[in-house]
Amino acid sequence: MNETTASSEELKTAARRALTTHLVDWAITTRHSVRAFLPTPVPREAIEAILTVASRAPSGTNTQPWKVHVVTGYPKAQLTAAVQRAFDDPRVASTHTEEYAYYPREWISPFVERRRKVGWDLYGLLGIAKGDRERTHAQHRRNYQFFDAPVGLLFTMDRVMDQGSFLDYGMFIQSVMVAARARGLDTCPQASFNQFHRIIEQELGLPKNERFLCAMSLGYADTSKVENTLRTEREPVRAFTVFHG
Ligand SMILES: Cc1cc2nc3c(=O)[nH]c(=O)nc-3n(C[C@H](O)[C@H](O)[C@H](O)COP(=O)(O)O)c2cc1C
């Protein structure tokens, strides 16, 4: 190989690497929670491709603890109706509680401030004043119609699996969201469904050993909607990293 061809090969490799870095970083950093979707359907092949890619997520001893229920059309509408019926009646809603604690029981700094900020920022964008119960309820309620996304994903795991599998599962869920971005799709992971896990179990006919973990909206973002302009903050690396040595 002469000098000219060697350097052009090197250039090609460097360009490929730079492009790969850009594309992977792009898919990760453009992921954000979308809370208004277009009715544009998502082809079944796209959903299967996303789940195939995400199934490459690692898991301790390759246990692959994930199980996904995909709802569209009539079953999705039925699920929405059942959950919203319970959510709209405070007496009924109070009889539904989440099965596992997603959030801490005690909120301390800095987590409580971050939690409040994202809430204020979202409701501020939507022009929902603090204390406006009706509009707060209506916005929260949109969770249960998957923010109008054509696809709802419901993630479950065998009850026999323990805390380590929750780590594995998080990697799988993030992979779903990143693979969706690579296909021009958007998502919103949703723990708001957790309170109504009994309704989900019933609607999906889940066997006793399957525990509902959380849901996700999947579809094409409606970029005309103000709630989708929300971009959340992150702490800089130095704030959460300790370099030893
Ligand atoms: C497991 C999980 C559950 C979540 N549940 C909800 C939810 O029920 N409703 C909602 O609107 N957002 C939900 N979110 C989105 C978070 O509010 C969001 O990820 C966070 O504010 C950071 O913003 P970003 O996703 O736009 O980067 C959830 C996120 C995760 C990871």
Side-chain angles (χ1 to χ4, degrees), residues 39-184:
T40 316
V42 180
R44 166 100 174 239
E45 300 76 57
I47 303 170
E48 284 182 10
I50 289 166
L51 296 175
T52 303
V53 170
S55 74
R56 298 306 310 174
S59 55
T61 61
N62 202 22
T63 41
Q64 306 168 64
W66 36 81
K67 176 139 191 199
V68 187
H69 295 263
V70 183
V71 292
T72 58
Y74 186 70
K76 181 167 82 71
Q78 289 285 96
L79 180 68
T80 291
V83 175
Q84 287 186 337
R85 224 175 4 252
F87 179 67
D88 287 343
D89 185 334
R91 252 180 345 105
V92 176
S94 69
T95 66
H96 289 271
T97 50
E98 58 184 17
E99 192 185 348
Y100 73 97
Y102 176 69
Y103 289 111
R105 299 200 188 285
E106 186 195 357
W107 282 100
I108 61 161
S109 185
F111 312 111
V112 65
E113 291 85 359
R114 291 176 190 161
R115 172 182 170 80
R116 282 192 192 128
K117 183 170 185 342
V118 74
W120 284 333
D121 287 351
L122 177 63
Y123 282 77
L125 275 174
L126 288 160
I128 301 174
K130 212 175 161 206
D132 185 340
R133 285 201 184 177
E134 209 170 298
R135 288 197 60 203
T136 301
H137 181 89
Q139 177 57 29
H140 189 94
R141 190 177 193 271
R142 285 181 48 71
N143 270 286
Y144 307 122
Q145 64 202 52
F146 297 94
F147 300 111
D148 300 326
V151 182
L153 304 178
L154 298 127
F155 299 108
T156 68
M157 183 166 79
D158 197 297
R159 284 177 204 282
V160 81
M161 304 311 266
D162 218 320
Q163 291 183 45
S165 300
F166 280 81
L167 278 183
D168 303 337
Y169 220 115
M171 296 180 210
F172 172 72
I173 291 174
Q174 166 73 348
S175 300
V176 169
M177 296 190 284
V178 173
R181 282 307 297 134
R183 288 159 179 81

Side-chain angles (χ1 to χ4, degrees), residues 31-35 100 102-103 114 118-119 122 139-140 143-144 147 173 177 187-194 213-215 230-234:
R31 185 219 55 80
H32 65 110
S33 295
V34 160
R35 297 183 178 89
Y100 73 97
Y102 176 69
Y103 289 111
R114 291 176 190 161
V118 74
L122 177 63
Q139 177 57 29
H140 189 94
N143 270 286
Y144 307 122
F147 300 111
I173 291 174
M177 296 190 284
T187 54
C188 186
Q190 294 169 272
S192 47
F193 277 93
N194 295 18
L213 293 189
C214 73
L230 177 69
R231 292 297 178 277
T232 51
E233 292 175 357
R234 294 297 188 274

